Amino acid sequence: MKHFFQRCAGLALTAALLAAAPLSQAHSFKLGQLEIGHPYARATVPGQPAAGAYISIENKGSAADRLVGVSSPVAKSGEIHTMAMEGNLMKMREVDGGLEIKPGQKIAMQPGNGYHIMLMGLSKPLQAGEKIPLTLNFEKAGKIEVVVNVEDPAAAGAKDDMKGHMHH
């Protein structure tokens, strides 16, 4: 009987550890030949009007597709942006006409590098640990709602990618 209780306690501990696994663990979604991986955003502070969200998109098909729109109920609007250094200033710009994903191509959106999704006009601060819906609209594949994990940037050792950026 003693071994039975030890085994049960061990299983309970394992279950508790699995339940407490970090939210940053990979999660993915599939829409036709498109695979959307690990949608996440960074937590924000009260009064912060916008947040960056990041995903990877891999086109496993034989035809190009294009991410033409993004939206979330937590923001007034969503845009696909690119970042580039111009002199000593990082500038963000909306991507005109959407983001093309060629056959066999994988685009990985990351803080401070290349493409990202801007959620503007936040209705409330994004808090670490919460999950928010994000609708991606593709030209050919259509729409899919993904779940975005809100992560603490300090826990990831990340720096605030909004500092020193100018939006045009």
Side-chain angles (χ1 to χ4, degrees), residues 41-44 128 151-161:
R42 291 186 168 166
T44 61
E151 300 178 354
D152 181 353
K159 61 179 188 255
D160 182 1
D161 64 313

Side-chain angles (χ1 to χ4, degrees), residues 78-89:
E79 295 179 355
I80 306 153
H81 281 204
T82 186
M83 281 194 266
M85 286 298 290
E86 290 184 15
N88 291 329
L89 188 63

